[in-house]
Amino acid sequence: MLTPRQTLILKTIIDEFTKTAEPVGSKRLMTLLEISVSSATLRNEMAILEDYGLLEKTHTSSGRIPSSKGYRYYVENLMDTQLDSGVQNALSEVFKERHYTMEEIVVKSCDILSQMTNLTSVVLGPETSSQTLQHIQIFPINERSAVCVFITSHGHTENKTFHFDENVSLKDIQTCCNILNDHLAGTPISEVVNKMDEIRPMLSSQVSRHEILFQAFTSAFVKFASDNVYTSGASNMLYQPEFADIEKLKQLMKFLEDSSVWRQLGSSNEDISIRIGTDNQVIPMENVSVITSKIKLSNEEEGQLMVVGPTRMPYNKIVALMEYMAKVIEDLYRDDG
């Protein structure tokens, strides 16, 4: 159990190191603390915190830096996650428009997170592998374009706008849609593309522009069945001193490009999950932390917001931002549902 003074020292060192990425020595600490403590006393207290495993001493400085255990203590005992009202208002304004598709809301959330944290964000859309296709609706705009809506067994909808290189009749579009509904309803999303090949001869015998429509629907299903994993702000890692080593940066970029990594990280049952440094087994890099927040889009569908960065990240601000953003998105879907 830390004393109040040790708690204050630990929190102050974490706050300062988060801002500067520089080890904090006793002399610097004296100028930061609001209490009057001698340099010798501070060195003694810092040594105790080091013995507890909450601080570490670097090889290049007499100062201390927080350890993964120190950050864990901070997020579990000392973190205040109040979000500034100005940020709340700004986020509410961004999501004011009520007609976003699932893809648009995921991409927009990803971009906002990376911009507001200056870190890398990853957003997972709902997992589609366990869902089946229930129905297809198509709304012609003109002879060269139409909007198609796919509806799954979980009530998830996905919109796709088709633009054709040649004119396609309303009759052909409707006939194609009817054939697909008759033969694809109840098919797992992951198997729809393969089943499209089976019904291709039927389309060619009943639909004049069958090849154009076949290609349009197949490409839409491929996109729909793929992992909805979006990444934004990967280049922000270039400006983090922890990744000045090009080999470390390459290693991190490799993880960022692997969608299976993010599905594993998103498997936590907690609404907010904070993986810090060495306690993160999915990305085994000691200087990397990942914060994950669930988005409950419906009773059966969930998405995930994630922020990836150095263990030095400002956990309190990021957690507050992600919690509020998740609430805004959930409210948006609840109102539209």
Side-chain angles (χ1 to χ4, degrees):
M1 182 71 177
L2 300 186
T3 66
R5 186 164 67 190
Q6 289 166 352
T7 298
L8 178 60
I9 289 170
L10 177 63
K11 186 176 186 302
T12 302
I13 290 175
I14 288 176
D15 289 343
E16 180 68 5
F17 185 67
T18 298
K19 294 174 190 172
T20 67
E22 295 289 338
V24 182
S26 57
K27 290 183 180 178
R28 175 60 181 152
L29 193 54
M30 285 179 69
T31 66
L32 296 171
L33 293 172
E34 295 180 355
I35 58 174
S36 179
V37 189
S38 71
S39 181
T41 300
L42 287 178
R43 284 195 297 272
N44 184 56
E45 294 283 40
M46 292 163 77
I48 292 172
L49 290 170
E50 189 178 349
D51 288 341
Y52 290 161
L54 302 175
L55 295 180
E56 295 175 344
K57 195 169 184 178
T58 66
H59 299 297
T60 57
S61 167
S62 60
R64 305 303 203 285
I65 64 172
S67 64
S68 292
K69 185 177 178 181
Y71 283 121
R72 174 60 59 194
Y73 186 90
Y74 170 81
V75 300
E76 291 180 354
N77 300 283
L78 308 177
M79 188 170 67
D80 177 17
T81 57
Q82 290 296 316
L83 188 63
D84 178 84
S85 59
V87 176
Q88 291 186 25
N89 293 335
L91 284 174
S92 296
E93 282 298 313
V94 168
F95 291 107
K96 208 171 185 178
E97 174 58 51
R98 295 285 171 174
H99 302 292
Y100 291 123
T101 64
M102 175 70 73
E103 183 176 356
E104 288 170 337
I105 201 75
V106 167
V107 171
K108 186 175 284 289
S109 302
C110 201
D111 289 341
I112 290 171
L113 266 179
S114 65
Q115 290 163 13
M116 297 189 79
T117 62
N118 291 317
L119 298 172
T120 301
S121 65
V122 179
V123 180
L124 306 185
E127 177 70 77
T128 58
S129 61
S130 62
Q131 302 183 45
T132 59
L133 183 69
Q134 290 298 99
H135 191 66
I136 303 167
Q137 289 180 289
I138 195 158
F139 305 94
I141 300 171
N142 53 48
E143 289 184 327
R144 291 207 173 190
S145 60
V147 174
C148 186
V149 180
F150 306 105
I151 304 169
T152 76
S153 54
H154 287 185
H156 172 61
T157 61
E158 190 82 13
N159 300 338
K160 172 70 177 175
T161 301
F162 295 154
H163 297 288
F164 309 118
D165 293 332
E166 303 174 38
N167 289 351
V168 178
S169 70
L170 176 61
K171 180 183 177 184
D172 272 356
I173 291 174
Q174 196 56 59
T175 300
C176 182
C177 190
N178 290 341
I179 291 172
L180 295 180
N181 275 320
D182 288 343
H183 293 84
L184 296 180
T187 302
I189 299 297
S190 58
E191 298 175 17
V192 167
V193 173
N194 289 335
K195 200 161 184 182
M196 283 285 289
D197 282 327
E198 296 176 18
I199 62 177
R200 191 171 192 164
M202 191 178 304
L203 286 173
S204 64
S205 66
Q206 298 185 42
V207 180
S208 298
R209 299 287 189 181
H210 61 89
E211 195 60 37
I212 294 172
L213 289 167
F214 178 84
Q215 293 299 335
F217 276 100
T218 301
S219 63
F221 283 129
V222 167
K223 191 171 186 301
F224 188 24
S226 64
D227 269 338
N228 291 329
V229 180
Y230 300 87
T231 305
S232 183
S235 61
N236 288 335
M237 294 301 100
L238 293 170
Y239 306 103
Q240 302 298 333
E242 288 85 350
F243 305 110
D245 182 335
I246 192 67
E247 291 306 316
K248 284 185 179 179
L249 185 62
K250 284 181 181 177
Q251 188 181 1
L252 179 60
M253 292 301 167
K254 186 177 179 181
F255 285 117
L256 290 177
E257 292 168 2
D258 186 350
S259 64
S260 66
V261 167
W262 308 113
R263 286 293 172 197
Q264 289 180 65
L265 286 168
S267 62
S268 170
N269 293 323
E270 302 171 78
D271 288 340
I272 288 280
S273 172
I274 303 176
R275 292 176 170 88
I276 300 172
T278 52
D279 65 14
N280 177 8
Q281 299 301 313
V282 184
I283 301 181
M285 296 179 68
E286 64 178 21
N287 287 331
V288 176
S289 287
V290 181
I291 303 177
T292 305
S293 173
K294 285 188 184 297
I295 325 168
K296 296 182 176 68
L297 301 174
S298 69
N299 289 336
E300 296 178 314
E301 283 192 308
E302 288 183 346
Q304 301 275 351
L305 302 178
M306 298 183 181
V307 169
V308 185
T311 51
R312 188 179 47 84
M313 67 169 70
Y315 295 95
N316 57 335
K317 293 179 181 178
I318 294 173
V319 169
L321 175 61
M322 294 174 74
E323 285 179 334
Y324 187 77
M325 186 178 286
K327 180 181 181 299
V328 169
I329 295 170
E330 288 171 2
D331 288 346
L332 177 66
Y333 272 84
R334 196 172 295 117
D335 290 345
D336 282 351

